[in-house]
Amino acid sequence: MSPIQRRFRNVINRIGEAFTVGGNARLGIFSIISPPVAEQYIQVTTLASLGRPMRAVYVPFDDVTATGNSVSYSGLTLTVEQALDLRHCGEAVARLLILA
């Protein structure tokens, strides 16, 4: 694990919120995102049919959550609409999950 991957993981461990995927406990940093921001990650035609509010979640680089997985968070059941690796100098340092 590189120093920047370790930093991201430490931040997520410190301030992340608990959620589950397939019965497995995970941690992530959650935020609500607006439709214009979500358009950067999801096709406009798909976006129109999704529930609101949508959420973005930052998780560690080695998190295996994939597009289509079901996420339980704060009493809600959400679907992963997009899962992206966030890279720095070609190295995955975190993952971004878009939930609806």
Side-chain angles (χ1 to χ4, degrees), residues 74-94:
S74 190
L76 302 170
T77 300
L78 305 163
T79 301
V80 178
E81 299 297 332
Q82 187 69 271
L84 308 157
D85 287 333
L86 301 177
R87 298 185 172 278
H88 175 71
C89 296
E91 173 183 54
V93 295

Side-chain angles (χ1 to χ4, degrees), residues 9-21 24-30 57-60 63 65 97:
R9 182 183 300 277
N10 288 341
V11 168
I12 292 167
N13 286 340
R14 243 179 291 139
I15 65 172
E17 297 178 68
F19 67 101
T20 59
V21 179
N24 298 315
R26 311 266 171 88
L27 284 176
I29 299 172
F30 284 75
V57 187
Y58 291 92
V59 295
D63 187 277
T65 305
L97 310 176

Side-chain angles (χ1 to χ4, degrees), residues 7-81:
R7 282 187 211 119
F8 269 95
R9 182 183 300 277
N10 288 341
V11 168
I12 292 167
N13 286 340
R14 243 179 291 139
I15 65 172
E17 297 178 68
F19 67 101
T20 59
V21 179
N24 298 315
R26 311 266 171 88
L27 284 176
I29 299 172
F30 284 75
S31 67
I32 293 176
I33 58 172
S34 66
V37 172
E39 282 179 12
Q40 297 174 13
Y41 308 106
I42 300 172
Q43 293 180 358
V44 176
T45 55
T46 304
L47 190 61
S49 67
L50 298 177
R52 304 284 194 282
M54 290 174 284
R55 289 168 172 78
V57 187
Y58 291 92
V59 295
F61 73 98
D62 57 355
D63 187 277
V64 296
T65 305
T67 301
N69 285 157
S70 182
V71 170
S72 295
Y73 164 70
S74 190
L76 302 170
T77 300
L78 305 163
T79 301
V80 178
E81 299 297 332

